[in-house]
Amino acid sequence: MGSHINNVSTTPSPESICLRRGLPVEDGQPLVSGIAQSTTFQRSGVGSDPTHQYSRVSNPSVTALEETLGQLENAPPAVCFGTGLAAETALFLSLLRNGDHVICGRGVYGGTTRLLQQLLNDLGITTTFVDSSDLEAIRQAIRPTTELIFVETPSNPTLDITDITGCAEIAKQAGVKLAVDNTFLTPILQQPLDLGADISIYSTTKFIDGHSVALGGSIVTRDEKLLERIKFIRKCTGAIQSPFNGWLTSNGIKTLPLRIKTQSQSATQIAEWLNNNESIDSVFHPSLATGTDAEIVQRQHLGGHGAVIAFAVSGGFERACSFVEQLKLCTLVEHVGSVETLITHPASMTHADVPRDQRLAVGITDGLLRLSVGLENAEELLADIQQALVATESGIDAEELEAANA
Ligand SMILES: *Cc1c(COP(=O)(O)O)cnc(C)c1O
């Protein structure tokens, strides 16, 4: 027995971290912990100071998830929020005040852009949006009032790669914080803090929960002072995650390493197939990166490039819409990160209210589709995509095709 125990590394693997957040071993305890569905916690006497007192400040079902998320990045427990955008709001409020300046990647999540442009701007916090895959553009955007660089990599929805280590060097030189939205790759495939970032931030709503059942957000940092400030903001603004969503997410995260790796592999396979298909104008997935991007991806990604692909079908807006309607295994929604394969048509959905020239400037063409590859059989997904391409070839619609085949 001793010999194999000696082989067990002292640093637990991500797989074990995700699974071993149980109760202390006691006879008769349930294997899965209960939900601490309570707003408040009893005290044994007037002077007592229990760990949990009121669920706006902390709750055991949220704390359990925070410990797992912190451990995955070799950091103190995370701070969890009701949504990803609540986490971002808390981050911004903890670092920024009237007169401060932010540099933000232009390929970040749309809600992040809206928060900075339409809300924080009115509080006197200004943002410069730059192409964060261009380090020189970031360097040039630094002002004396800059306090934060915020990037997302791969970007949304065109999956551009930002060099986190390069950004971290610029941030350090300028004495500003670097935050990375790591929602798409999760700590399993990318470790922003190890690459030099100060903050990893997540919408746990996506891959971390993974089952489209619980909203949530989290912030991970090794900076203890910042961590205290973020907890204070959460208490002030009442943005903590609910016990039920914390509990659901703790259950979802158990299979995160398995899910994200399998989904990434399928995504790589599908991206390659699409890349060799003449009905497809362009394909975006980090597995297809070349040149400097390929080097960054090699250094930055840990055994997978994520489950999100973007591709443009030839034939533009009309074809993209009918293509999506022909799919049987991919569900049309505004969402990524679930076990089911999901598809979005940004031009008519997420970016419908962005003027066309602005959309085109950031690579969101009329025919662009974003696919979040799920856990279905990859061959079946490919077959589904293929039949939808055939069905929508040169204006032939499905009924005509069926009639022709009959
Ligand atoms: C969804 C998402 C968010 C916002 O998260 P919510 O939980 O929906 O508030 C932030 N960043 C990225 C990359 C996302 O995909």
Side-chain angles (χ1 to χ4, degrees):
M1 198 173 154
S3 66
H4 88 256
I5 292 224
N6 286 341
N7 292 335
V8 175
S9 145
T10 47
T11 327
S13 64
E15 289 81 4
S16 298
I17 293 169
C18 286
L19 282 162
R20 292 288 154 196
R21 279 296 325 154
L23 299 166
V25 178
E26 262 177 56
D27 277 341
Q29 283 288 345
L31 178 62
V32 178
S33 64
I35 312 168
Q37 191 65 44
S38 182
T39 56
T40 193
F41 301 87
Q42 303 180 39
R43 296 172 190 234
S44 61
V46 176
S48 80
D49 183 24
T51 312
H52 300 286
Q53 302 185 354
Y54 187 60
S55 288
R56 178 165 30 76
V57 181
S58 73
N59 174 286
S61 298
V62 178
T63 303
L65 175 63
E66 291 173 340
E67 287 174 358
T68 305
L69 290 171
Q71 229 186 330
L72 282 173
E73 293 188 60
N74 197 13
V79 189
C80 284
F81 294 83
T83 65
L85 279 177
E88 290 184 18
T89 304
L91 177 70
F92 296 147
L93 291 180
S94 66
L95 289 174
L96 307 165
R97 58 188 64 199
N98 186 357
D100 287 344
H101 174 248
V102 181
I103 297 169
C104 183
R106 69 172 192 195
V108 298
Y109 179 69
T112 307
T113 308
R114 179 174 55 218
L115 174 59
L116 288 164
Q117 263 181 344
Q118 297 184 38
L119 211 144
L120 292 181
N121 191 58
D122 289 347
L123 302 179
I125 296 159
T126 51
T127 305
T128 304
F129 291 90
V130 300
D131 173 3
S132 63
S133 64
D134 178 357
L135 292 179
E136 202 40 48
I138 296 182
R139 205 188 306 274
Q140 302 215 336
I142 299 265
R143 298 180 192 168
T145 53
T146 306
E147 291 294 337
L148 173 67
I149 300 173
F150 188 104
V151 300
E152 186 178 328
T153 179
S155 76
N156 210 334
T158 48
L159 304 156
D160 302 327
I161 300 297
T162 293
D163 178 352
I164 297 176
T165 310
C167 285
E169 278 163 16
I170 297 171
K172 268 199 188 73
Q173 263 178 13
V176 313
K177 301 274 190 223
L178 171 65
V180 176
D181 185 336
N182 199 29
T183 299
F184 274 26
L185 292 185
T186 81
I188 306 302
L189 302 183
Q190 182 166 265
Q191 291 268 330
L193 304 185
D194 281 351
L195 294 165
D198 301 287
I199 301 124
S200 292
I201 188 160
Y202 298 89
S203 167
T204 62
T205 313
K206 314 293 167 53
F207 293 96
I208 290 178
D209 163 48
H211 296 76
S212 301
V213 291
L215 293 168
S218 80
I219 298 176
V220 180
T221 177
R222 294 173 187 156
D223 179 339
E224 299 275 0
K225 209 173 128 214
L226 178 60
L227 209 56
E228 285 317 304
R229 176 83 182 148
I230 289 165
K231 285 185 202 160
F232 174 75
I233 301 285
R234 183 177 70 173
K235 177 165 86 172
C236 288
T237 58
I240 196 171
Q241 190 171 35
S242 74
F244 186 45
N245 282 353
W247 181 84
L248 283 168
T249 308
S250 283
N251 282 301
I253 205 173
K254 289 176 183 177
T255 55
L256 172 66
L258 203 65
R259 282 187 282 108
I260 192 90
K261 284 183 195 157
T262 306
Q263 290 174 234
S264 290
Q265 262 169 23
S266 298
T268 297
Q269 193 181 337
I270 293 169
E272 196 186 332
W273 186 88
L274 290 168
N275 207 32
N276 293 320
N277 190 301
E278 51 192 39
S279 294
I280 305 297
D281 283 343
S282 48
V283 187
F284 306 94
H285 187 252
S287 63
L288 301 171
T290 56
T292 318
D293 276 355
E295 280 164 38
I296 300 168
V297 157
Q298 177 83 7
R299 180 155 43 80
Q300 220 160 257
H301 296 181
L302 305 164
H305 304 294
V308 182
I309 303 174
F311 60 98
V313 289
S314 61
F317 196 92
E318 305 277 300
R319 172 103 184 262
C321 293
S322 51
F323 169 80
V324 159
E325 282 164 17
Q326 289 300 325
L327 291 167
K328 296 178 174 68
L329 278 181
C330 313
T331 311
L332 183 66
V333 285
E334 285 197 17
H335 188 43
V336 298
S338 200
V339 286
E340 299 88 359
T341 296
L342 310 173
I343 194 159
T344 308
H345 179 221
S348 71
M349 297 167 73
T350 47
H351 293 71
D353 54 359
V354 179
R356 185 163 182 272
D357 54 332
Q358 278 181 37
R359 260 202 288 115
L360 293 178
V362 292
I364 303 170
T365 52
D366 296 338
L368 190 78
L369 295 163
R370 185 183 66 183
L371 190 72
S372 172
V373 178
L375 282 176
E376 297 88 348
N377 180 290
E379 299 291 337
E380 283 174 19
L381 286 172
L382 279 175
D384 189 35
I385 291 168
Q386 183 161 30
Q387 67 77 24
L389 284 175
V390 171
T392 56
E393 236 158 50
S394 59
I396 307 172
D397 74 17
E399 279 167 37
E400 283 175 44
L401 193 78
E402 260 170 44
N405 286 343

